[in-house]
Amino acid sequence: MSIKDKQFDAIVIGSGGGGAAAAWGLAYKGLSVLLLEAGQRFDPYQDYRLSTAQWEQSAFPEKSKSKSFYRIAELQKLTRQWGSLRSWNHISGPMIKDDRRLGWKYSHVRGLGGSTLHFTGEAHRLNKAAMQMHSRFGVAADWPLQYQDLEIWYQLAELIVGVSGSDVDPHRPRKRPHPLPPHSASFASQTVQQGLEKLGLSWTPNSLAVLPKAYDGRPGCNYCNNCNRGCPRKDKGSADVTFLHKAEKTERCDIQTGKTVLNIESDANKITAVVYADEQGNRYRSSAKTVIVACGAVQTPRLLLLSNTVQQEGLANESGLVGKNFMETLFWVSSGLHPHSIGSQRGLPSDSICWDYNSPDAIKNIIGGCRFTLATAEADLLGPINYAQRVVKGFGRQHKADMRKQYGNVLSVGSIGECLPHTDSYIGLDPDHLDEHGLPLAKIHSRLDTLALNRMRFMADKCREILQASGVTQLIEEYGSYDTFNSTHVFGTCRMGADPQQSVVNANCQSHRWKNLFIVDASVFPSSGGGESPSLTIQALAIRSAFFIAEQMKRKQL
Amino acid sequence: MNRHTVIIAAFSYIEEVYSKKMNIINRRAFLKLLSFCGLALVRRSEAAKIGYSAGKFPDRQTLSIYLDTLIPADITPSATELKIDELLTLKADRNRAYATLLTQGCNWLDQQARNRSQQSFKLLPENERIAIIASAESGDPRSLASRFYFASRNDAFFHYYAHPKSQTCLTNAGTPQPLGYPDHNKAPQENTTQCL
């Protein structure tokens, strides 16, 4: 084992939305930063193969260690009561044949830029009403800061990422307009808008980290609809082409890929060093005045639980809440065939959005909101392979003829809703399954409670209603979280709060106990919001923390 | 990327290299080519372990006729014209369970053909082949016939519709980049009469 001693102002662990934004914020403020990323660097021009004939045969490309290892504990039994929430396809039938919920995947990317590499690009601010869930509804926990405390940091994140969108949104008041104007709606999106209007619902341009025109050295989007396979043009504002690009330009940020952090060391009062390994198993130790953890709501609690201190099982776990309050992605997607030619392969995955049910009290008799968007890209109904397999029935000459008639005619509408924490959903360690370094894997425990299922039923019913109003005559496929654990947005496992007994970090994302330890990913979220994508809020919090750290260092308080 | 995708990527890469009539293969391309050849060798040894010779699918003719019934030629090529049969047997070469499923499925097709008209599946007229396949499609989902049908259907379409020659008359079915869809906010172009 070789160990190198290095000294930095800050070590950032993880380079997704939060880690990248923190690294940029610290470097921008003049601090020296070591950024440790377990995965590899992706080259948009080389790695994202949307110009090759095989583009549809694989999703986002995989590289060495581009997925972390984890386990999913046995999930809940499925019951007839929620039969309308089972996933199905009109050709292959029920997707889950058993009567138990399937633990499919924690959908993420380990690589420089993290899951922003495959994200859709939604750049949402949280609904301000969704930040006080405990005081208003007695569920989850209140955020220890208000929307207005975050507003300027949202602005800064939007400016760096290059966010486009509509400036009219009463739930997310803005002091400045979006840096970029909204995208024009695709023809598919316009078709759904007609349906929503019939239902008296709104459809507004979505806030997106996708450029409608050239900005900051990057070109405008050309509407290929495949953000989730990786953007080869760099018009999508993933963390690698935005925050990390700028962080590297400061020449104060040392980015190390292929470095897996194994342990965070501490003495009686502070974090002292980070121990990590490269892909060959060589070990290193680096130290810094402060350590920022940003590995996401599954791997961050794992790392903390692995980093025991003399006094405590699990670093920063004085409250016992590291890994608790896990919140997952509660989602539903319905797809159907429109009788007319739509060309729904074209556009942006979710150029418009319906926020009408986003507030926590917007759904009658159900606490927690949700939102609706076009979801044809989310459902991966963008190319002929998926049409042939999942949309067009049968085989032979008729199948070929129907392919020509139906290709591009599918409309999908999806919904993501609030997920509230409870004691049965949490992240633990699995001592029976170890990684290559002999360390226990993270184990995901998940249960959807009745409130979540009622919310999902509302989401599913509304998706079907929207499709029908949009002219869809035949549903062909539906899927959601009820029978399959498949989460992209995960939250809550190192909750932020004012009370050290009830939270892991404070409003600055600083550990209550370890003043030079910070957490800047969605694990700090006290509540998930009503379907908002979390990346922009993560980035706003991360920049805020970075600037706080810089200020503290300036005052010699860190 | 799963192993199946790796080998498809290998083939497409090799095809790309030759289709561009590259006179000089640069070092990186050559190394890539070598590594893919190594991959193929590994696959051969795996196939030998399960007593299955690469490219010697027991009833290749039945499989080919079956695939051409699933995907017949019209204004676009048939399955075998795009070598989909080879790709499926390649998968069978490295996957014992899949080889068994294809073999048993082809046996089932032949058995059904003999029950109907005392001859093998490959000798039946198209309408009778269609009737047999339709019975597999509508049968018990747990049955061998159904599992064979849906697995082979999925795989056949997976390879067939990745090929540009299959995409004639599918508006906007080409690669999403580098052009994207600048017309995304307009109604799509209608197919020409020839395509309908």
Side-chain angles (χ1 to χ4, degrees):
Chain A
M1 180 172 84
S2 70
I3 297 177
K4 289 184 183 174
D5 284 306
K6 293 184 179 180
Q7 178 70 40
F8 293 88
D9 288 325
I11 297 174
V12 178
I13 306 169
S15 69
W24 170 79
L26 295 163
Y28 174 77
K29 294 297 274 184
L31 306 186
S32 62
V33 180
L34 171 64
L35 175 62
L36 299 172
E37 167 54 52
Q40 298 297 324
R41 195 181 282 262
F42 284 79
D43 179 345
Y45 302 125
Q46 294 288 325
D47 294 325
Y48 306 147
R49 306 188 67 208
L50 293 173
S51 300
T52 68
Q54 291 73 36
W55 70 272
E56 199 190 355
Q57 289 184 326
S58 58
F60 186 85
E62 288 189 15
K63 286 195 173 189
S64 165
K65 302 199 174 171
S66 63
K67 295 269 185 289
S68 65
F69 297 107
Y70 56 88
R71 305 281 298 176
I72 300 176
E74 185 177 66
L75 302 176
Q76 70 206 78
K77 278 210 147 210
L78 304 171
T79 64
R80 280 192 183 177
Q81 182 190 359
W82 305 103
S84 67
L85 298 179
R86 296 292 292 256
S87 306
W88 63 277
N89 174 277
H90 74 142
I91 295 170
S92 56
M95 291 186 196
I96 307 303
K97 314 284 183 196
D98 298 335
D99 63 352
R100 189 171 289 282
R101 189 176 183 223
L102 173 73
W104 188 26
K105 64 177 175 179
Y106 160 41
S107 181
H108 68 286
V109 177
R110 233 183 193 191
L112 198 67
S115 293
T116 66
L117 298 175
H118 77 162
F119 82 153
T120 296
E122 289 185 318
H124 295 153
R125 295 177 172 205
L126 270 181
N127 184 325
K128 58 183 179 178
M131 297 173 75
Q132 305 299 324
M133 294 299 286
H134 191 261
S135 53
R136 289 191 64 199
F137 305 102
V139 296
D142 288 353
W143 288 60
L145 70 177
Q146 306 287 319
Y147 175 89
Q148 52 268 32
D149 299 324
L150 269 183
E151 216 275 336
I152 191 167
W153 306 104
Y154 274 135
Q155 283 180 38
L156 187 48
E158 288 170 340
L159 205 61
I160 291 167
V161 169
V163 176
S164 71
S166 164
D167 298 328
V168 184
D169 184 345
H171 303 304
R172 299 164 183 77
R174 311 178 60 85
K175 289 188 176 161
R176 287 173 189 270
H178 281 87
L180 290 154
H183 290 267
S184 61
S186 67
F187 188 72
S189 187
Q190 294 168 36
T191 308
V192 171
Q193 182 173 14
Q194 289 169 12
L196 285 156
E197 282 171 2
K198 285 182 202 164
L199 299 173
L201 298 173
S202 68
W203 193 237
T204 55
N206 205 350
S207 292
L208 296 173
V210 180
L211 304 178
K213 59 183 182 183
Y215 178 84
D216 200 21
R218 295 183 284 134
C221 173
N222 66 3
Y223 304 100
C224 84
N225 221 352
N226 273 276
C227 306
N228 303 130
R229 285 185 162 87
C231 178
R233 294 166 56 83
K234 300 188 181 179
D235 58 83
K236 185 179 81 169
S238 49
D240 55 336
V241 301
T242 54
F243 288 105
L244 294 173
H245 176 66
K246 289 183 184 300
E248 282 191 299
K249 276 172 73 174
T250 66
E251 299 185 350
R252 287 187 287 276
C253 182
D254 179 359
I255 294 178
Q256 294 283 324
T257 55
K259 303 293 190 297
T260 303
V261 174
L262 310 177
N263 188 31
I264 301 173
E265 296 180 341
S266 54
D267 63 17
N269 298 311
K270 63 179 190 301
I271 305 302
T272 53
V274 170
V275 177
Y276 53 101
D278 63 20
E279 292 194 343
Q280 288 71 45
N282 302 310
R283 295 196 176 197
Y284 307 86
R285 175 183 287 115
S286 293
S287 44
K289 292 175 191 162
T290 188
V291 170
I292 296 111
V293 184
C295 309
V298 173
Q299 296 301 332
T300 286
R302 175 188 180 238
L303 178 58
L304 296 180
L305 291 172
L306 288 172
S307 302
N308 292 325
T309 66
V310 176
Q311 307 97 323
Q312 184 68 46
E313 192 171 319
L315 184 62
N317 197 24
E318 293 73 23
S319 63
L321 291 176
V322 169
K324 307 297 185 199
N325 299 307
F326 176 63
M327 294 172 278
E328 60 184 270
T329 316
L330 201 70
F331 74 96
W332 182 262
V333 176
S334 293
S335 298
L337 267 173
H338 197 281
H340 302 304
S341 191
I342 303 291
S344 58
Q345 311 92 331
R346 308 167 304 156
L348 272 168
S350 52
D351 60 24
S352 305
I353 191 161
C354 174
W355 285 124
D356 294 3
Y357 297 98
N358 169 240
S359 289
D361 54 356
I363 307 173
K364 195 177 174 187
N365 299 327
I366 295 172
I367 299 165
C370 66
R371 55 69 177 262
F372 299 88
T373 57
L374 202 62
T376 318
E378 176 70 33
D380 199 11
L381 290 167
L382 298 177
I385 294 173
N386 280 287
Y387 265 78
Q389 292 175 332
R390 294 159 57 197
V391 177
V392 179
K393 280 187 169 182
F395 61 92
R397 291 174 209 286
Q398 189 59 49
H399 184 274
K400 278 188 153 184
D402 289 344
M403 278 290 287
R404 288 161 198 150
K405 274 187 216 154
Q406 296 173 6
Y407 187 64
N409 295 11
V410 168
L411 283 180
S412 306
V413 169
S415 181
I416 299 179
E418 176 110 36
C419 185
L420 295 167
H422 53 73
T423 52
D424 295 340
S425 288
Y426 62 96
I427 304 298
L429 297 178
D430 186 346
D432 297 329
H433 293 89
L434 308 180
D435 69 7
E436 64 194 282
H437 307 289
L439 300 171
L441 300 183
K443 191 165 188 177
I444 298 170
H445 299 258
S446 158
R447 183 176 67 80
L448 296 180
D449 60 12
T450 304
L451 185 56
L453 294 173
N454 274 320
R455 195 179 306 106
M456 265 191 75
R457 183 141 64 189
F458 172 85
M459 291 154 57
D461 288 345
K462 195 58 74 179
C463 285
R464 294 165 188 149
E465 199 181 342
I466 292 169
L467 282 179
Q468 190 179 16
S470 306
V472 162
T473 48
Q474 181 201 348
L475 287 178
I476 55 136
E477 184 179 279
E478 295 184 304
Y479 62 92
S481 319
Y482 171 57
D483 56 11
T484 312
F485 176 89
N486 175 17
S487 277
T488 306
H489 305 156
V490 288
F491 316 85
T493 50
C494 297
R495 172 187 280 177
M496 62 157 64
D499 181 356
Q501 301 300 313
Q502 299 296 323
S503 56
V504 177
V505 295
N506 64 23
N508 294 314
C509 300
Q510 180 183 35
S511 160
H512 289 295
R513 164 72 175 81
W514 306 90
K515 297 302 176 192
N516 66 337
L517 177 69
F518 292 77
I519 299 171
V520 294
D521 56 40
S523 53
V524 303
F525 283 30
S527 59
S528 72
E532 294 92 334
S533 286
S535 66
L536 192 76
T537 302
I538 294 170
Q539 288 163 346
L541 286 170
I543 304 171
R544 186 172 180 270
S545 291
F547 280 43
F548 171 78
I549 290 166
E551 189 60 30
Q552 292 286 300
M553 284 198 184
K554 198 171 158 188
R555 294 181 186 177
K556 310 281 184 202
Q557 290 179 350
L558 270 181
Chain B
M1 187 184 288
N2 62 30
R3 299 173 72 195
H4 188 55
T5 316
V6 168
I7 201 142
I8 299 309
F11 274 100
S12 50
Y13 180 77
I14 291 165
E15 191 177 66
E16 191 182 311
V17 168
Y18 285 105
S19 68
K20 285 181 181 168
K21 296 191 173 125
M22 290 173 66
N23 293 323
I24 301 166
I25 297 179
N26 65 31
R27 185 172 170 274
R28 181 180 281 189
F30 180 65
L31 289 174
K32 242 180 177 177
L33 210 55
L34 272 185
S35 65
F36 288 145
C37 292
L39 212 64
L41 285 176
V42 170
R43 280 189 213 314
R44 264 191 212 166
S45 67
E46 282 176 0
K49 271 188 214 161
I50 62 169
Y52 182 85
S53 309
K56 301 247 168 132
F57 187 77
D59 197 354
R60 179 70 171 268
Q61 272 191 317
T62 301
L63 182 68
S64 298
I65 294 286
Y66 164 70
L67 290 172
D68 279 352
T69 314
L70 286 185
I71 310 175
D74 57 2
I75 50 176
T76 52
S78 69
T80 55
E81 284 174 308
L82 295 187
K83 304 191 186 311
I84 306 306
D85 49 339
E86 288 180 19
L87 293 168
L88 263 60
T89 52
L90 194 65
K91 181 174 174 181
D93 285 348
R94 63 178 177 78
N95 181 330
R96 181 196 286 269
Y98 192 70
T100 304
L101 183 65
L102 287 195
T103 306
Q104 291 179 341
C106 288
N107 290 343
W108 180 86
L109 292 171
D110 269 337
Q111 187 59 50
Q112 297 302 306
R114 280 190 214 96
N115 292 349
R116 281 168 176 260
S117 39
Q118 306 295 319
Q119 54 185 339
S120 61
F121 182 79
K122 62 193 168 211
L123 298 176
L124 290 183
E126 187 183 28
N127 62 333
E128 292 202 35
R129 281 184 272 127
I130 289 172
I132 290 172
I133 297 172
S135 72
E137 183 183 39
S138 60
D140 180 348
R142 292 163 300 182
S143 68
L144 164 74
S146 175
R147 286 186 291 115
F148 165 68
Y149 167 75
F150 282 107
S152 57
R153 177 188 189 274
N154 260 9
D155 285 348
F157 289 149
F158 179 82
H159 296 301
Y160 181 81
Y161 280 105
H163 202 294
K165 286 183 179 169
S166 72
Q167 295 166 4
T168 308
C169 292
L170 296 178
T171 310
N172 297 318
T175 60
Q177 292 290 354
L179 299 178
Y181 304 112
D183 66 344
H184 72 111
N185 52 3
K186 298 182 177 65
Q189 291 175 348
E190 296 292 336
N191 270 334
T192 59
T193 323
Q194 174 223 354
C195 294
L196 298 174

PDB file of all heavy atoms in Angstrom, chain A residues 497-515:
ATOM      1  N   GLY A 497     -31.120  20.098   9.065  1.00  0.00           N
ATOM      2  CA  GLY A 497     -32.087  20.643  10.014  1.00  0.00           C
ATOM      3  C   GLY A 497     -31.394  21.499  11.050  1.00  0.00           C
ATOM      4  O   GLY A 497     -30.162  21.520  11.148  1.00  0.00           O
ATOM      5  N   ALA A 498     -32.205  22.176  11.832  1.00  0.00           N
ATOM      6  CA  ALA A 498     -31.649  23.059  12.862  1.00  0.00           C
ATOM      7  C   ALA A 498     -31.299  22.274  14.123  1.00  0.00           C
ATOM      8  O   ALA A 498     -30.402  22.667  14.877  1.00  0.00           O
ATOM      9  CB  ALA A 498     -32.661  24.160  13.180  1.00  0.00           C
ATOM     10  N   ASP A 499     -31.992  21.184  14.380  1.00  0.00           N
ATOM     11  CA  ASP A 499     -31.829  20.422  15.617  1.00  0.00           C
ATOM     12  C   ASP A 499     -30.850  19.258  15.415  1.00  0.00           C
ATOM     13  O   ASP A 499     -31.138  18.335  14.648  1.00  0.00           O
ATOM     14  CB  ASP A 499     -33.204  19.894  16.041  1.00  0.00           C
ATOM     15  CG  ASP A 499     -33.147  19.100  17.336  1.00  0.00           C
ATOM     16  OD1 ASP A 499     -32.033  18.898  17.863  1.00  0.00           O
ATOM     17  OD2 ASP A 499     -34.221  18.669  17.792  1.00  0.00           O
ATOM     18  N   PRO A 500     -29.708  19.263  16.098  1.00  0.00           N
ATOM     19  CA  PRO A 500     -28.723  18.175  15.929  1.00  0.00           C
ATOM     20  C   PRO A 500     -29.280  16.798  16.276  1.00  0.00           C
ATOM     21  O   PRO A 500     -28.756  15.789  15.825  1.00  0.00           O
ATOM     22  CB  PRO A 500     -27.601  18.567  16.897  1.00  0.00           C
ATOM     23  CG  PRO A 500     -27.757  20.019  17.123  1.00  0.00           C
ATOM     24  CD  PRO A 500     -29.225  20.307  17.019  1.00  0.00           C
ATOM     25  N   GLN A 501     -30.329  16.762  17.086  1.00  0.00           N
ATOM     26  CA  GLN A 501     -30.929  15.462  17.431  1.00  0.00           C
ATOM     27  C   GLN A 501     -31.793  14.920  16.298  1.00  0.00           C
ATOM     28  O   GLN A 501     -32.082  13.729  16.243  1.00  0.00           O
ATOM     29  CB  GLN A 501     -31.813  15.605  18.689  1.00  0.00           C
ATOM     30  CG  GLN A 501     -31.076  16.104  19.920  1.00  0.00           C
ATOM     31  CD  GLN A 501     -29.953  15.160  20.321  1.00  0.00           C
ATOM     32  OE1 GLN A 501     -30.144  13.949  20.386  1.00  0.00           O
ATOM     33  NE2 GLN A 501     -28.762  15.709  20.549  1.00  0.00           N
ATOM     34  N   GLN A 502     -32.230  15.794  15.427  1.00  0.00           N
ATOM     35  CA  GLN A 502     -33.178  15.401  14.386  1.00  0.00           C
ATOM     36  C   GLN A 502     -32.604  15.517  12.975  1.00  0.00           C
ATOM     37  O   GLN A 502     -33.343  15.401  12.000  1.00  0.00           O
ATOM     38  CB  GLN A 502     -34.441  16.291  14.469  1.00  0.00           C
ATOM     39  CG  GLN A 502     -35.191  16.209  15.771  1.00  0.00           C
ATOM     40  CD  GLN A 502     -35.766  14.828  16.006  1.00  0.00           C
ATOM     41  OE1 GLN A 502     -36.210  14.162  15.067  1.00  0.00           O
ATOM     42  NE2 GLN A 502     -35.751  14.363  17.246  1.00  0.00           N
ATOM     43  N   SER A 503     -31.306  15.767  12.897  1.00  0.00           N
ATOM     44  CA  SER A 503     -30.720  15.964  11.569  1.00  0.00           C
ATOM     45  C   SER A 503     -29.219  15.706  11.617  1.00  0.00           C
ATOM     46  O   SER A 503     -28.623  15.640  12.689  1.00  0.00           O
ATOM     47  CB  SER A 503     -31.009  17.391  11.072  1.00  0.00           C
ATOM     48  OG  SER A 503     -30.531  18.339  11.996  1.00  0.00           O
ATOM     49  N   VAL A 504     -28.640  15.561  10.431  1.00  0.00           N
ATOM     50  CA  VAL A 504     -27.210  15.236  10.321  1.00  0.00           C
ATOM     51  C   VAL A 504     -26.385  16.492  10.078  1.00  0.00           C
ATOM     52  O   VAL A 504     -25.283  16.641  10.592  1.00  0.00           O
ATOM     53  CB  VAL A 504     -27.003  14.200   9.185  1.00  0.00           C
ATOM     54  CG1 VAL A 504     -25.521  13.894   8.979  1.00  0.00           C
ATOM     55  CG2 VAL A 504     -27.780  12.912   9.487  1.00  0.00           C
ATOM     56  N   VAL A 505     -26.927  17.388   9.223  1.00  0.00           N
ATOM     57  CA  VAL A 505     -26.200  18.628   8.911  1.00  0.00           C
ATOM     58  C   VAL A 505     -27.094  19.836   9.164  1.00  0.00           C
ATOM     59  O   VAL A 505     -28.325  19.706   9.251  1.00  0.00           O
ATOM     60  CB  VAL A 505     -25.712  18.646   7.431  1.00  0.00           C
ATOM     61  CG1 VAL A 505     -24.684  17.553   7.187  1.00  0.00           C
ATOM     62  CG2 VAL A 505     -26.881  18.526   6.456  1.00  0.00           C
ATOM     63  N   ASN A 506     -26.462  20.994   9.249  1.00  0.00           N
ATOM     64  CA  ASN A 506     -27.232  22.216   9.459  1.00  0.00           C
ATOM     65  C   ASN A 506     -27.598  22.878   8.119  1.00  0.00           C
ATOM     66  O   ASN A 506     -27.363  22.294   7.050  1.00  0.00           O
ATOM     67  CB  ASN A 506     -26.473  23.177  10.379  1.00  0.00           C
ATOM     68  CG  ASN A 506     -25.168  23.662   9.758  1.00  0.00           C
ATOM     69  OD1 ASN A 506     -25.010  23.640   8.531  1.00  0.00           O
ATOM     70  ND2 ASN A 506     -24.226  24.090  10.586  1.00  0.00           N
ATOM     71  N   ALA A 507     -28.098  24.060   8.168  1.00  0.00           N
ATOM     72  CA  ALA A 507     -28.572  24.725   6.951  1.00  0.00           C
ATOM     73  C   ALA A 507     -27.444  25.038   5.970  1.00  0.00           C
ATOM     74  O   ALA A 507     -27.686  25.277   4.784  1.00  0.00           O
ATOM     75  CB  ALA A 507     -29.310  26.012   7.305  1.00  0.00           C
ATOM     76  N   ASN A 508     -26.199  25.029   6.461  1.00  0.00           N
ATOM     77  CA  ASN A 508     -25.060  25.235   5.564  1.00  0.00           C
ATOM     78  C   ASN A 508     -24.511  23.908   5.034  1.00  0.00           C
ATOM     79  O   ASN A 508     -23.429  23.874   4.453  1.00  0.00           O
ATOM     80  CB  ASN A 508     -23.943  25.994   6.302  1.00  0.00           C
ATOM     81  CG  ASN A 508     -24.378  27.400   6.647  1.00  0.00           C
ATOM     82  OD1 ASN A 508     -24.929  28.103   5.810  1.00  0.00           O
ATOM     83  ND2 ASN A 508     -24.155  27.805   7.901  1.00  0.00           N
ATOM     84  N   CYS A 509     -25.228  22.831   5.299  1.00  0.00           N
ATOM     85  CA  CYS A 509     -24.820  21.479   4.906  1.00  0.00           C
ATOM     86  C   CYS A 509     -23.580  21.030   5.677  1.00  0.00           C
ATOM     87  O   CYS A 509     -22.812  20.183   5.206  1.00  0.00           O
ATOM     88  CB  CYS A 509     -24.581  21.367   3.397  1.00  0.00           C
ATOM     89  SG  CYS A 509     -26.024  21.738   2.406  1.00  0.00           S
ATOM     90  N   GLN A 510     -23.394  21.601   6.843  1.00  0.00           N
ATOM     91  CA  GLN A 510     -22.234  21.322   7.690  1.00  0.00           C
ATOM     92  C   GLN A 510     -22.657  20.349   8.788  1.00  0.00           C
ATOM     93  O   GLN A 510     -23.712  20.544   9.423  1.00  0.00           O
ATOM     94  CB  GLN A 510     -21.773  22.644   8.308  1.00  0.00           C
ATOM     95  CG  GLN A 510     -20.588  22.565   9.226  1.00  0.00           C
ATOM     96  CD  GLN A 510     -20.277  23.940   9.822  1.00  0.00           C
ATOM     97  OE1 GLN A 510     -21.193  24.738  10.094  1.00  0.00           O
ATOM     98  NE2 GLN A 510     -19.007  24.231  10.021  1.00  0.00           N
ATOM     99  N   SER A 511     -21.835  19.342   9.020  1.00  0.00           N
ATOM    100  CA  SER A 511     -22.144  18.385  10.086  1.00  0.00           C
ATOM    101  C   SER A 511     -22.308  19.130  11.412  1.00  0.00           C
ATOM    102  O   SER A 511     -21.508  20.015  11.730  1.00  0.00           O
ATOM    103  CB  SER A 511     -21.009  17.369  10.199  1.00  0.00           C
ATOM    104  OG  SER A 511     -21.033  16.726  11.452  1.00  0.00           O
ATOM    105  N   HIS A 512     -23.322  18.746  12.173  1.00  0.00           N
ATOM    106  CA  HIS A 512     -23.509  19.396  13.475  1.00  0.00           C
ATOM    107  C   HIS A 512     -22.300  19.150  14.373  1.00  0.00           C
ATOM    108  O   HIS A 512     -21.904  20.022  15.135  1.00  0.00           O
ATOM    109  CB  HIS A 512     -24.761  18.831  14.166  1.00  0.00           C
ATOM    110  CG  HIS A 512     -26.046  19.264  13.522  1.00  0.00           C
ATOM    111  ND1 HIS A 512     -26.469  20.560  13.485  1.00  0.00           N
ATOM    112  CD2 HIS A 512     -27.008  18.538  12.892  1.00  0.00           C
ATOM    113  CE1 HIS A 512     -27.642  20.642  12.872  1.00  0.00           C
ATOM    114  NE2 HIS A 512     -27.989  19.418  12.492  1.00  0.00           N
ATOM    115  N   ARG A 513     -21.720  17.968  14.263  1.00  0.00           N
ATOM    116  CA  ARG A 513     -20.635  17.592  15.174  1.00  0.00           C
ATOM    117  C   ARG A 513     -19.247  17.939  14.614  1.00  0.00           C
ATOM    118  O   ARG A 513     -18.371  18.396  15.323  1.00  0.00           O
ATOM    119  CB  ARG A 513     -20.746  16.086  15.434  1.00  0.00           C
ATOM    120  CG  ARG A 513     -19.534  15.397  16.032  1.00  0.00           C
ATOM    121  CD  ARG A 513     -19.336  15.766  17.499  1.00  0.00           C
ATOM    122  NE  ARG A 513     -18.245  15.017  18.107  1.00  0.00           N
ATOM    123  CZ  ARG A 513     -16.944  15.327  17.987  1.00  0.00           C
ATOM    124  NH1 ARG A 513     -16.591  16.366  17.263  1.00  0.00           N
ATOM    125  NH2 ARG A 513     -16.015  14.607  18.587  1.00  0.00           N
ATOM    126  N   TRP A 514     -19.066  17.700  13.290  1.00  0.00           N
ATOM    127  CA  TRP A 514     -17.735  17.841  12.682  1.00  0.00           C
ATOM    128  C   TRP A 514     -17.749  19.079  11.790  1.00  0.00           C
ATOM    129  O   TRP A 514     -18.264  19.050  10.679  1.00  0.00           O
ATOM    130  CB  TRP A 514     -17.393  16.585  11.865  1.00  0.00           C
ATOM    131  CG  TRP A 514     -17.524  15.339  12.686  1.00  0.00           C
ATOM    132  CD1 TRP A 514     -18.641  14.572  12.843  1.00  0.00           C
ATOM    133  CD2 TRP A 514     -16.527  14.748  13.515  1.00  0.00           C
ATOM    134  NE1 TRP A 514     -18.407  13.537  13.704  1.00  0.00           N
ATOM    135  CE2 TRP A 514     -17.087  13.617  14.131  1.00  0.00           C
ATOM    136  CE3 TRP A 514     -15.190  15.068  13.790  1.00  0.00           C
ATOM    137  CZ2 TRP A 514     -16.386  12.807  15.007  1.00  0.00           C
ATOM    138  CZ3 TRP A 514     -14.483  14.251  14.666  1.00  0.00           C
ATOM    139  CH2 TRP A 514     -15.076  13.135  15.255  1.00  0.00           C
ATOM    140  N   LYS A 515     -17.164  20.127  12.316  1.00  0.00           N
ATOM    141  CA  LYS A 515     -17.360  21.427  11.660  1.00  0.00           C
ATOM    142  C   LYS A 515     -16.654  21.543  10.312  1.00  0.00           C
ATOM    143  O   LYS A 515     -16.971  22.436   9.525  1.00  0.00           O
ATOM    144  CB  LYS A 515     -16.880  22.569  12.584  1.00  0.00           C
ATOM    145  CG  LYS A 515     -17.667  22.663  13.877  1.00  0.00           C
ATOM    146  CD  LYS A 515     -19.163  22.867  13.611  1.00  0.00           C
ATOM    147  CE  LYS A 515     -19.978  22.877  14.881  1.00  0.00           C
ATOM    148  NZ  LYS A 515     -21.431  22.790  14.633  1.00  0.00           N
TER     149      LYS A 515
END
